[in-house]
Amino acid sequence: MKRIFLLLVAVAFFISACSNTEHPEGLEEQTVIEDVHSYAYIHEVKTLHLDLDLEVDFNNNTIYGIASHTISDHTTDKMIFDINGLEIIKVTLDSGVETDFKIGKNDELLGQPLEVTIKPNTKQVNIQYKTTDQSGSLDWLPPSLTSSKKYPFLYTQGQAILTRTWIPVQDSPLNRITYSATIKVPSELLAVMSADQLSPKNADGIYKFKMDQAIPCYLIALAVGDLEYVKLDSRSGIYAEPQLIEKCAYEFEDLPKMINIAEKIYGKYQWDQYDVVMLPYSFPFGGMENPRLTFANPTLIAGDKSLVSVIAHELAHSWSGNLVTNATWNDFWLNEGFTVYFENRIMEELEGKEIANILAIIEFQDLVESLALIEDSENPEDANLKLDLEGRDPDDGMTDVAYIKGAYFLRTLEHTVGRKKFDEFLKGYFAAHAFQTLTTEKFVSYLEEHLLNPNKIEFNTKEWIYQPGLPENCIKISSPRLEAMEAFAHIADQGGDLSKDNAFRKLKLSDHITQEWQTFIRGLNKNVSHSQLAFIDQQLGLSTQANDILKSDWFKLCARVNYTPAFPEMKKYLTKVGRRWLVEGIYAELAESKDPKRLEFAREVYENAKTNYHTVTARSVAQHLGLK
Ligand code: BES
Ligand code: ZN
């Protein structure tokens, strides 16, 4: 029903746009943008402010309380929220009059519409509810899965459409709201949120928060655990479990520098505070850009700051994503492509062009592999930047296309127009769209109007955005340092013996950075002999000493070539780490080998490891293993 209505409006606007207006796309932008991943009709009535009053109960693994929505002026008599896996207890209006509500049919992907009867003068809708074991956003960890092993831990993951599994909201990125919260937790734990922290650690376990800048609902986030704080400078710091806090403070000590660099490039940091909270290993991402408080995975703690580009990435989202937000999940590349581009610019300032190039080449290797897989998949159009995810999980759009093809599109543009002009353009773009949402189409017209036309530049924008694959003009980046590593790999892959190579024989893991070793490992293909792998592992300690990024590439190779001596360490790794992109590739290799033994091994490991996986990771892995 909703689709038909929207389509009619869209057609009406298209006709009127064709006949008279100068900026039809502007008109369309304000009036109807369809988000196929939300039941809400935010153009009829929308939440302006959300106030949460919640209690976190670790005995029953539930969150219980009231979500009060202050709503916009309206003429409709119903308001629709998205819910998924929530138990709705009671709904009241304004100061407490109970009202009717109806819960629609459950869709496995989208959950249910919660339809609340409202009055023309209703200002506030208060929903009393409880989370359940179907609340996919929530990861309840027993003490054994934390680093202290003493206290339980809880964190939420909202992006893309999981906020509705822990709060009843109009869960579309089109909908920007402010929020405040009072959260009650066990007295020995601390609660942190993507908001201004108003209460210090206290014995009552009651914490208050407020977020005065309007954000999309997927950025509402909460973590509760035995957390300490270390300040890095006046506006940044780290929360972590006591055992990790020192390591984190060292690993991320360049954070204040990064914020200054980012501000110099694209304008003032708009969120006042920038903290990072280190979560347990089960966190399904390297990082998540919750405003004021990036959520991070302990796999980033390499001991040598070699993985800080993930923090640069999450920081960059403070502009691309959090300040200027993709209107729908089909425009996801506007969030991630810009962020990968910006991340690399921060890294270039911090570590120099050579390192930035190395990082960009590693990304390119990933992209080439992903594009090949997507081309052969059921959905080859997923190789376009602009996606069509109707009827599918927005998570399916979380591929290297949005991230890396998106970033290479921007790099190629930068190369074409020159950095100075491109930076001016991007600075203007962030300023012009701050605290707004944007469609791909609106971006394209802004690009034409503010960069391409004034400079009389022809650019194949449409090919980049609406066609699969990589356009011819994609810039090429090279790095002699990586070429040297490829040469080593080539020796082993061609049946040579690296133990007889004088240069290689002397190498230790610490002689090269993570990305150089990644290039080496990725250069070893099916032809490498098991005796060479044994020598390499013995010399470098990849199975045991390497950081978690390198281990992921190494175990992927071992899975592909069936190098079983590494399997016990691989199992340990898969049981400890829950970061999706690190474990998924290993499981995929084991499953796709078509070797029943390897598949059985993978299933066995997964059975055992899945209690340490967030639903996001578990879902992806189960798919690879044919368990779903
Ligand atoms: N926002 C993403 C994570 C995300 C995307 C969660 C889509 C849910 C749906 C985050 O910023 C991210 O991209 N993390 C990456 C970092 C990497 C690209 C540097 C990760 O976790 O690996
Ligand atoms: Zn990102």
Side-chain angles (χ1 to χ4, degrees), residues 178-195:
T178 54
Y179 82 90
S180 47
T182 305
I183 310 284
K184 174 143 180 35
V185 302
S187 63
E188 60 279 16
L189 304 183
L190 178 70
V192 291
M193 288 192 91
S194 55

Side-chain angles (χ1 to χ4, degrees), residues 403-524:
Y403 284 79
I404 303 169
K405 184 178 168 184
Y408 270 85
F409 165 59
L410 297 172
R411 281 177 196 136
T412 305
L413 260 174
E414 181 210 302
H415 184 75
T416 311
V417 301
R419 179 168 282 189
K420 191 163 171 289
K421 283 204 176 105
F422 195 60
D423 277 354
E424 277 164 15
F425 165 74
L426 282 187
K427 209 169 182 167
Y429 164 78
F430 289 127
H433 302 99
F435 299 104
Q436 294 175 29
T437 50
L438 205 75
T439 59
T440 300
E441 290 62 40
K442 192 86 189 281
F443 166 74
V444 171
S445 59
Y446 187 85
L447 173 72
E448 281 166 2
E449 193 177 327
H450 293 267
L451 186 67
L452 300 179
N453 297 348
N455 292 298
K456 303 198 172 22
I457 288 167
E458 292 273 327
F459 196 81
N460 52 342
T461 313
K462 300 257 156 71
E463 181 188 356
W464 273 95
I465 294 179
Y466 298 105
Q467 302 282 317
L470 262 188
E472 276 286 301
N473 62 337
C474 181
I475 58 158
K476 316 260 172 316
I477 301 174
S478 60
S479 154
R481 275 170 64 174
L482 294 190
E483 281 153 20
M485 302 310 280
E486 274 164 11
F488 283 136
H490 192 69
I491 296 174
D493 211 40
Q494 295 301 303
D497 186 353
L498 280 173
S499 68
K500 300 218 169 77
D501 185 284
N502 280 336
F504 190 87
R505 229 172 42 198
K506 294 195 207 95
L507 287 184
K508 294 188 302 296
L509 207 52
S510 55
D511 292 337
H512 288 287
I513 62 170
T514 301
Q515 293 74 18
E516 287 172 304
W517 286 121
Q518 277 183 293
T519 302
F520 170 68
I521 294 167
R522 290 170 180 203
L524 301 169

Side-chain angles (χ1 to χ4, degrees), residues 159 287 289 313-314 317 332 335-336 339-340 403:
Q159 197 180 15
E289 68 272 23
H313 177 98
E314 305 314 331
H317 272 305
F332 183 55
N335 275 18
E336 296 299 342
T339 298
V340 173
Y403 284 79

Side-chain angles (χ1 to χ4, degrees), residues 28-92:
E28 186 201 48
E29 175 74 17
Q30 284 163 19
T31 321
V32 242
I33 304 166
E34 187 182 4
D35 181 357
V36 293
H37 294 110
S38 169
Y39 290 109
Y41 291 90
I42 61 168
H43 52 283
E44 290 186 357
V45 57
K46 76 177 273 315
T47 300
L48 300 169
H49 179 81
L50 167 69
D51 182 65
L52 298 169
D53 188 356
L54 303 175
E55 179 163 352
V56 178
D57 174 358
F58 280 97
N59 293 323
N60 299 300
N61 287 358
T62 52
I63 297 179
Y64 167 84
I66 299 176
S68 298
H69 296 256
T70 306
I71 65 175
S72 59
D73 291 339
H74 50 273
T75 50
T76 173
D77 58 1
K78 60 173 195 252
M79 177 161 184
I80 299 179
F81 299 88
D82 295 292
I83 58 170
N84 193 354
L86 294 183
E87 186 185 323
I88 304 297
I89 299 163
K90 184 166 107 179
V91 185
T92 66

